[in-house]
Amino acid sequence: KAGVTQTPRYLIKTRGQQVTLSCSPISGHRSVSWYQQTPGQGLQFLFEYFSETQRNKGNFPGRFSGRQFSNSRSEMNVSTLELGDSALYLCASSLDTGQETQYFGPGTRLLVL
Amino acid sequence: GESVGLHLPTLSVQEGDNSIINCAYSNSASDYFIWYKQESGKGPQFIIDIRSNMDKRQGQRVTVLLNKTVKHLSLQIAATQPGDSAVYFCAETAYGNNRLAFGKGNQVVVIP
């Protein structure tokens, strides 16, 4: 079974721009969660999607948003980029049948200049 | 790992020795705990998990211990190998909740 895939792997943007990141979960997984990883703050939960609905949300500003499609693929969007948004963005998927083991993708490295 | 950098605790261990990585969790309502390993340039990789109704769980070369009284979690790696060099994170959540809260991470360096 293929693992979680994320595209693109690397991205460079400038302040004020917006960006869309994509995540394809493991086949059969219905829950997709997004995390931001920085050296200073570590791994922080952004949001979770299940059945095309946002089920859980972390403490990030409204500039961070996401969505999930009927095939469980998910996208996250960051608008009006700030320098502090530079980070590794990780996507994780899980079956959500009572098991919470989340499997992570390789991440998208975003650099905001 | 991606969290290498500022003030990351580092454990240096000789190849073949056992490693112990500790984690203090914060939320007494958490009842599901996971250890992840992150190698440089990769996403976190699941190692082992434990639910709060257990105090010990063993996997292949790894053991997780949970002490709910003091809110402490540990990961033991037997016969540490060079491939075990990575950053290790503990994560906690409540069962049925996919929102993971991660610890800051511990860097393990295996000396050949």
Side-chain angles (χ1 to χ4, degrees), chain B residues 1 4 6 17-18 27 29-30 32 35-36 42-43 47 50 64-65 75-76 79 83 87 96 98-101 103 110:
Chain B
V4 171
L6 302 176
D17 287 352
N18 297 334
N27 189 351
S30 294
Y32 179 59
W35 279 100
Y36 285 94
K42 298 183 179 179
I47 300 174
I50 188 168
V64 56
L65 299 176
L75 177 71
Q76 300 177 358
V87 178
N98 280 339
R99 177 177 181 159
L100 293 174
V110 180

Side-chain angles (χ1 to χ4, degrees), chain B:
Chain B
E2 296 303 337
S3 280
V4 171
L6 302 176
H7 311 300
L8 199 64
T10 300
L11 172 68
S12 296
V13 59
Q14 205 71 36
E15 181 179 356
D17 287 352
N18 297 334
S19 305
I20 299 176
I21 307 163
N22 296 302
C23 174
Y25 64 92
S26 55
N27 189 351
S28 55
S30 294
D31 57 7
Y32 179 59
F33 306 89
I34 313 105
W35 279 100
Y36 285 94
K37 168 188 179 184
Q38 188 174 27
E39 297 174 277
S40 183
K42 298 183 179 179
Q45 175 189 353
F46 172 84
I47 300 174
I48 192 168
D49 59 2
I50 188 168
R51 301 199 188 280
S52 60
N53 60 352
M54 304 172 70
D55 52 23
K56 180 179 179 178
R57 190 165 188 223
Q58 289 183 293
Q60 186 178 13
R61 281 201 308 118
V62 294
T63 301
V64 56
L65 299 176
L66 174 63
N67 184 330
K68 295 180 287 294
T69 303
V70 295
K71 293 192 286 187
H72 184 267
L73 197 65
S74 68
L75 177 71
Q76 300 177 358
I77 305 173
T80 311
Q81 302 169 358
D84 295 327
S85 292
V87 178
Y88 290 80
F89 294 95
C90 63
E92 61 182 290
T93 189
Y95 187 73
N97 184 337
N98 280 339
R99 177 177 181 159
L100 293 174
F102 282 85
K104 291 296 184 185
N106 288 268
Q107 175 87 51
V108 172
V109 176
V110 180
I111 303 164

Side-chain angles (χ1 to χ4, degrees), chain A:
Chain A
K1 225 180 219 185
V4 178
T5 57
Q6 293 186 245
T7 56
R9 292 293 313 276
Y10 304 93
L11 208 48
I12 300 175
K13 292 285 187 179
T14 56
R15 278 181 299 173
Q17 286 187 310
Q18 67 98 27
V19 66
T20 299
L21 312 181
S22 181
C23 171
S24 292
I26 292 171
S27 178
H29 284 194
R30 299 190 299 167
S31 169
V32 173
S33 298
W34 289 88
Y35 294 82
Q36 181 196 64
Q37 186 174 28
T38 59
Q41 299 299 317
L43 279 147
Q44 293 186 292
F45 174 80
L46 279 157
F47 28 64
E48 181 210 1
Y49 286 87
F50 178 78
S51 291
E52 302 178 64
T53 302
Q54 188 180 85
R55 187 162 68 172
N56 217 331
K57 188 178 188 305
N59 300 321
F60 280 82
R63 299 185 298 107
F64 292 81
S65 64
R67 60 177 175 167
Q68 186 180 34
F69 302 94
S70 58
N71 61 358
S72 293
R73 190 176 70 85
S74 177
E75 289 180 348
M76 67 163 282
N77 183 278
V78 188
S79 62
T80 319
L81 283 165
E82 300 177 359
L83 296 179
D85 296 334
S86 295
L88 181 69
Y89 290 89
L90 292 158
C91 165
S93 75
S94 66
L95 278 168
D96 201 65
T97 58
Q99 301 176 50
E100 277 67 47
T101 303
Q102 294 184 43
Y103 297 92
F104 283 81
T108 294
R109 167 69 67 187
L110 172 65
L111 178 62
V112 182
L113 301 175

